[in-house]
Amino acid sequence: MENNKVFGLLEKYLMGPMGKISQLKVVRSVMAAGMATIPFTIVGSMFLVLNILPDTMKFLKPFFDSTFFRISDLYMLANKCTMGILALYFCLVIGYEYTNIFAEEEGLNLNPLNGALLSMFAFFMTIPELLFKDGKMSLITQISKDTNIVNGWNIGGDGVTRLGTTGIFTAIIMAVIAVRIYRFCVKHNIVIKMPESVPAGVSRSFTALVPAFAVAFIVLLIDGAFIALGTDIFKVIAVPFSFVSKLTNSWGGILVIYFLISALWIVGIHGANIVTSFLTPIILSNMQLNMQGANIPFAGEFQNSFVIMGGSGATLGLTIFIAFLAKSQQLKVLGRAGVVPSLFNINEPMIFGLPIIYNPYLAIPFFLAPMACASTAYWAIKLHIVSPILAQVPWPSPIGIGAFIGTAGDFRAALLALFNGVLALLIYLPFIKVYDNKLLKEEQENASDDFDAESLAI
């Protein structure tokens, strides 16, 4: 009864609100953007790994100096044109998806491509840096040892700095504003309508003309007001998100994150999808900072490399245990079916098959295992025992491999991942043994009942 009350509270105060949040149009658009950027971040990161591998494996440096580093400026373009302009990818995808959702769900004549372009237009207007002085607004030009701003464009090692991961939050906000303006204009017929004889492509371009003027006017008006006050849209948007980033990068913040993920899963909601959709811009930005010399634990595939080996709840060790050592036939069959997917961080068969959802026997370790693994990984990186994550790797990378590649070849990272896999198993062990004995007893009772029924029939 007590367990039912706990699950009931989670459903009422967590599942309900988070379920509603996950269905918001903006959230769905951001989730789509996060998924769409995965191949580009992985490709860009692999070229970065190639470039910094000798920093970890010193014996490779002479070979790299005479080979790869001679053309590093060429192949690192793949990194600069992915991680270096990641905010632009987010902006375009959110603009497209957000417009498409409005078009489909509200029946409006909105063109997703127009939404993407209007979003990019709005975002680019926030990138140049201006100064208001003596009653005049001027593009900033400032060149020094640490600063390289030319006609308002701040140029860093990876290109225009505001187009990189630091601009993701601004890109999201500007895409939302641009699409909302576009929707408002179309919904209230504030558009230029062309005769039916005009080709559809030409007609769509004129449909976006009035919204484009509206976007330009509103963004320039807001940005101009902020510039007059000594700041700009980009800097203003960065303030609250910087606070959120610092909060999530703390040990306590990380524990809250994995508590929420587990709490959502335990009542049947894909917690990882919902929570990480909000965190994707933060972990990508942190990874970019790590590339520049920072030491931030919560970056890149921190989660799949160190925390949830085998899938949400860190169930790899649990799956292997029940596959080969469980007494219950039900658990044995399930474990053997789930071993291979678990090696690649896919454990839906375990979550729904054991089941872990609404299971009072396994709820506690399902919360504790990820939080314990996140803690060891956080402090190992924070204390410089293990290198921080510098490169994005595919999330299904098997235990140890993703951590090794993501840290640009740090063997200690692979050992930490293996250690966490064992740690998670030890946390699950007493609970799964109790659950295993319960199922075994039920199987024996069912077998006895079947035998008695057959005897009576004879």
Side-chain angles (χ1 to χ4, degrees):
M1 182 65 70
E2 190 66 33
N3 288 321
N4 290 336
K5 287 182 179 179
V6 173
F7 290 131
L9 288 172
L10 287 175
E11 279 188 341
K12 183 178 180 180
Y13 294 106
L14 191 64
M15 180 181 176
M18 292 301 287
K20 291 178 181 177
I21 290 172
S22 69
Q23 292 306 309
L24 292 175
K25 297 179 178 66
V26 173
V27 174
R28 285 150 58 193
S29 302
V30 173
M31 288 174 66
M35 295 296 293
T37 57
I38 286 174
F40 301 100
T41 56
I42 291 174
V43 169
S45 294
M46 290 304 100
F47 282 94
L48 176 70
V49 169
L50 177 65
N51 213 44
I52 62 177
L53 203 57
D55 293 339
T56 306
M57 302 179 181
K58 303 293 184 183
F59 64 90
L60 292 175
K61 195 169 189 312
F63 172 71
F64 272 62
D65 284 340
S66 59
T67 54
F68 291 111
F69 287 165
R70 291 180 177 272
I71 57 169
S72 63
D73 283 350
L74 173 64
Y75 66 73
M76 280 301 288
L77 288 176
N79 179 267
K80 296 179 191 298
C81 292
T82 49
M83 296 302 298
I85 58 170
L86 199 58
L88 183 57
Y89 288 90
F90 266 82
C91 182
L92 288 170
V93 177
I94 291 171
Y96 187 95
E97 292 291 338
Y98 199 36
T99 306
N100 193 47
I101 290 171
F102 276 125
E104 291 181 352
E105 297 184 4
E106 296 186 1
L108 296 174
N109 185 26
L110 298 169
N111 181 7
L113 182 58
N114 282 345
L117 294 175
L118 287 168
S119 299
M120 183 177 68
F121 175 45
F123 176 49
F124 264 95
M125 282 191 287
T126 69
I127 294 175
E129 299 181 38
L130 290 93
L131 176 69
F132 184 67
K133 189 176 181 181
D134 299 328
K136 180 182 178 182
M137 288 189 183
S138 307
L139 290 167
I140 297 174
T141 294
Q142 183 180 344
I143 301 175
S144 64
K145 182 181 178 181
D146 300 319
T147 307
N148 191 20
I149 305 176
V150 180
N151 290 330
W153 297 82
N154 195 329
I155 311 297
D158 295 324
V160 179
T161 56
R162 289 188 170 187
L163 283 176
T165 52
T166 56
I168 290 177
F169 290 116
T170 305
I172 293 171
I173 300 299
M174 300 317 295
V176 170
I177 290 173
V179 172
R180 282 280 179 175
I181 293 171
Y182 180 32
R183 169 182 172 271
F184 179 86
C185 291
V186 172
K187 189 173 183 178
H188 294 86
N189 290 317
I190 311 173
V191 293
I192 297 174
K193 293 185 177 180
M194 303 297 288
E196 293 184 2
S197 58
V198 175
V202 177
S203 180
R204 280 196 299 267
S205 65
F206 274 90
T207 302
L209 185 59
V210 173
F213 269 112
V215 168
F217 179 77
I218 291 171
V219 173
L220 291 176
L221 184 64
I222 297 171
D223 203 25
F226 282 130
I227 292 167
L229 295 172
T231 182
D232 59 27
I233 287 179
F234 196 97
K235 293 174 184 174
V236 169
I237 291 174
V239 171
F241 287 108
S242 175
F243 172 76
V244 172
S245 296
K246 289 178 181 177
L247 193 65
T248 56
N249 291 339
S250 66
W251 179 41
I254 286 177
L255 292 182
V256 170
I257 288 167
Y258 289 105
F259 175 85
L260 287 175
I261 290 174
S262 297
L264 288 168
W265 263 123
I266 212 74
V267 291
I269 292 182
H270 200 306
N273 273 358
I274 293 175
V275 177
T276 55
S277 66
F278 295 101
L279 299 174
T280 297
I282 294 173
I283 60 174
L284 291 176
S285 179
N286 289 345
M287 187 172 70
Q288 187 75 7
L289 291 172
N290 284 343
M291 295 176 195
Q292 298 165 8
N295 187 60
I296 304 173
F298 194 55
E301 284 297 340
F302 173 85
Q303 174 167 290
N304 290 299
S305 296
F306 298 121
V307 182
I308 57 167
M309 292 72 57
S312 292
T315 57
L316 178 60
L318 169 68
T319 306
I320 294 172
F321 175 82
I322 65 172
F324 301 104
L325 297 175
K327 299 174 185 177
S328 162
Q329 194 63 29
Q330 176 184 330
L331 290 186
K332 276 186 181 179
V333 172
L334 180 64
R336 289 171 184 174
V339 164
V340 174
S342 288
L343 290 173
F344 299 95
N345 295 332
I346 300 168
N347 71 339
E348 276 78 1
M350 303 300 297
I351 287 177
F352 296 103
L354 274 173
I356 290 175
I357 294 173
Y358 290 108
N359 189 334
Y361 291 90
L362 298 176
I364 293 175
F366 191 74
F367 278 95
L368 291 181
M371 293 170 74
C373 293
S375 296
T376 58
Y378 176 88
W379 288 111
I381 295 172
K382 194 75 174 176
L383 298 174
H384 298 275
I385 298 170
V386 171
S387 299
I389 291 181
L390 303 169
Q392 189 80 335
V393 294
W395 65 265
S397 300
I399 184 171
I401 295 176
F404 177 75
I405 297 174
T407 55
D410 189 345
F411 287 99
R412 297 168 301 176
L415 293 175
L416 174 61
L418 293 171
F419 172 83
N420 278 354
V422 174
L423 175 63
L425 171 61
L426 293 175
I427 292 171
Y428 273 105
L429 213 50
F431 298 91
I432 191 61
K433 283 184 176 180
V434 172
Y435 188 53
D436 185 26
N437 289 331
K438 172 185 174 292
L439 292 180
L440 177 64
K441 186 178 179 180
E442 289 178 356
E443 288 174 359
Q444 291 172 343
E445 289 175 351
N446 289 336
S448 177
D449 290 342
D450 291 341
F451 178 77
D452 290 342
E454 289 177 7
S455 298
L456 289 171
I458 293 171

